[in-house]
Amino acid sequence: MHFAPALQLFELQAAEDSSGVLGRLRGSLAFVFGPPLKRGSRGDAVVALQTALTRLSFRVGVNADFGADTDKALKAFQASAGLQPTGITDGFTRQAILSALAAIPASRPFVPPAPPTPALTQPRSLFRPCCLLRTKSLKGVATRGGHASDDPGIVYTGKAGFVDLGHLWDLADITAFAYQQIHAANGATGTKVQTAEGTATLTSTAPAKEWLRLAQSIAFDDALGHEIASYDLVWMVGMHNSAFSPEDLCSNYLGTLVAARALTAGGSFATEVENQLKVLLSDLNAQSEAETQKAFNRISRRWVDVSLSWDDSAYLVRRNFTRFPWKTGHSSDAPTPAFVVAPFRLSSTYDYRHKGGFSQTDFSTKISAIKVDAASRYGSTFDRP
């Protein structure tokens, strides 16, 4: 085997994914010359596989993690190519993928995913009150609420800590609504994208390949603006006593990811976000309600103060200002997949402004001020697990 297939795959990734040049090169070489990939594999070679499958119309999230959705897409490709659907990239499968890619005309234009079906009329499909990190909110993988629930709950996962499904579903909706607006405007400069709590204005023309990531980034900024605005509302339940809760920002990002995967898959948005969440929770090793309670018990006097009422402004004593998940030391804890913490990479730009009167350029200053206040209220460990 020579280097031409690896170069072909590298060029494909350069057009289709957002990873760096070195990552694309490593991934292309590893996919062509490295060991077979299968469920549980991670890294740049998996990105190369996912990019190739998507290009071949077996759409899958490009996230460096070979989970259930990648396994399903690979088996579907193998079956279509007359191969045994093993879900493993053996030599025959790799050659079939590379041959199929080579048969695609180089001039084939990129077609962005369709906007959500049916069209959305508002940023959120329903009002979901903040779940708060408390016993009443704890659910399990089998008892959690779905997209249409106003009480979806919080589930513990071994790979991403607590996941607040209220946040996740909200961000899935906001991302899809933002994408709908970007898609309708063809990503044009000056497009105003309405969100749940503000407006983003595109300051450059966004290429179609970036529309989904752009919608994700705008939705995430909208949610970050909400956390900032909430912190000062000490008198209101679910605001100060919930702002920057350890699970919030990671849950927000996962919501944008579920939306992006659902839109990529196509079909009914409400149906597909349910499907994609099932896959995500499986990949993150979501726990039962009993195990979620055990995980909570490990931090119930460290992250929160259960000696106080949950609606007390001093209830939440630890704050996470990143989307890197905090783990509790639960028996299911395992390394966090790269896709959970992967940065947004965009060439297109936008200005976001929150309804509270501040913009994304103010985020850093405002968060610094919040940290100073939190240290004075909760001590020097306020931002540590």
Side-chain angles (χ1 to χ4, degrees):
M1 194 177 287
H2 49 79
F3 283 92
L7 179 60
Q8 174 193 17
L9 194 52
F10 171 77
E11 291 173 343
L12 170 65
Q13 288 188 90
E16 303 264 346
D17 81 29
S18 61
S19 60
V21 173
L22 288 178
R24 293 198 300 269
L25 182 58
R26 282 194 305 266
S28 301
L29 291 170
F31 176 77
V32 175
F33 299 110
L37 303 173
K38 59 184 179 181
R39 188 163 181 172
S41 298
R42 296 188 181 89
D44 295 323
V46 176
V47 171
L49 170 63
Q50 291 168 331
T51 304
L53 288 170
T54 296
R55 179 65 165 163
L56 294 171
S57 299
F58 297 87
R59 287 189 178 274
V60 65
V62 179
N63 54 33
D65 185 56
F66 195 133
D69 56 340
T70 303
D71 182 66
K72 180 180 178 181
L74 178 58
K75 288 177 178 176
F77 168 79
Q78 289 173 318
S80 72
L83 301 171
Q84 255 328 91
T86 62
I88 301 173
T89 59
D90 55 25
F92 292 109
T93 298
R94 280 185 287 193
Q95 189 55 55
I97 288 173
L98 293 170
S99 297
L101 290 173
I104 298 174
S107 59
R108 177 179 172 182
F110 173 79
V111 179
T117 304
L120 305 180
T121 59
Q122 56 189 0
R124 293 189 181 100
S125 58
L126 75 159
F127 174 71
R128 303 179 183 93
C130 181
C131 291
L132 284 169
L133 192 55
R134 56 178 175 144
T135 296
K136 185 179 178 181
S137 300
L138 304 181
K139 300 286 180 74
V141 66
T143 57
R144 66 172 178 83
H147 183 250
S149 171
D150 61 1
D151 182 28
I154 294 176
V155 176
Y156 192 76
T157 69
K159 297 179 182 179
F162 290 109
V163 175
D164 184 327
L165 296 176
H167 278 245
L168 186 149
W169 287 134
D170 274 356
L171 267 290
D173 286 347
I174 297 167
T175 300
F177 190 65
Y179 181 76
Q180 177 177 280
Q181 296 170 78
I182 294 166
H183 190 285
N186 288 315
T189 303
T191 298
K192 292 191 179 299
V193 179
Q194 300 300 317
T195 60
E197 300 208 4
T199 304
T201 303
L202 305 192
T203 53
S204 68
T205 298
K209 294 182 182 69
E210 288 192 1
W211 289 354
L212 269 179
R213 293 195 299 279
L214 180 60
Q216 287 182 261
S217 182
I218 289 172
F220 186 81
D221 277 352
D222 193 53
L224 184 56
H226 170 79
E227 299 298 324
I228 292 170
S230 298
Y231 184 85
D232 288 334
L233 301 178
V234 178
W235 52 272
M236 187 179 294
V237 176
M239 294 301 181
H240 176 86
N241 67 333
S242 179
F244 292 102
S245 188
E247 73 285 358
D248 282 355
L249 299 191
C250 181
S251 301
N252 290 346
Y253 175 73
L254 293 176
T256 76
L257 184 63
V258 165
R261 291 180 178 183
L263 290 166
T264 299
S268 164
F269 180 71
T271 299
E272 197 54 42
V273 288
E274 293 279 8
N275 294 337
Q276 294 301 325
L277 181 62
K278 289 177 184 176
V279 171
L280 178 67
L281 290 179
S282 174
D283 288 346
L284 295 179
N285 193 17
Q287 299 295 297
S288 67
E289 188 167 332
E291 293 302 319
T292 297
Q293 181 67 59
K294 289 179 184 177
F296 178 76
N297 291 343
R298 298 184 67 89
I299 52 84
S300 62
R301 294 188 178 276
R302 191 166 77 250
W303 298 4
V304 296
D305 186 353
V306 293
S307 69
L308 299 174
S309 171
W310 62 268
D311 56 359
D312 192 294
S313 63
Y315 174 75
L316 181 66
V317 296
R318 300 291 173 97
R319 316 270 172 157
N320 184 0
F321 296 91
T322 75
R323 61 181 172 90
F324 286 81
W326 288 5
K327 313 285 179 58
T328 69
H330 185 266
S331 59
S332 68
D333 286 358
T336 298
F339 73 84
V340 174
V341 294
F344 293 112
R345 290 190 177 97
L346 294 167
S347 63
S348 45
T349 57
Y350 63 90
D351 287 333
Y352 169 79
R353 189 160 191 83
H354 188 267
K355 63 183 181 182
F358 57 90
S359 70
Q360 76 209 82
T361 58
D362 301 317
F363 284 176
S364 180
T365 299
K366 285 189 168 293
I367 290 174
S368 293
I370 288 172
K371 288 181 177 180
V372 170
D373 181 79
S376 69
R377 289 174 184 268
Y378 309 114
S380 60
T381 60
F382 73 94
D383 60 351
R384 302 174 206 167

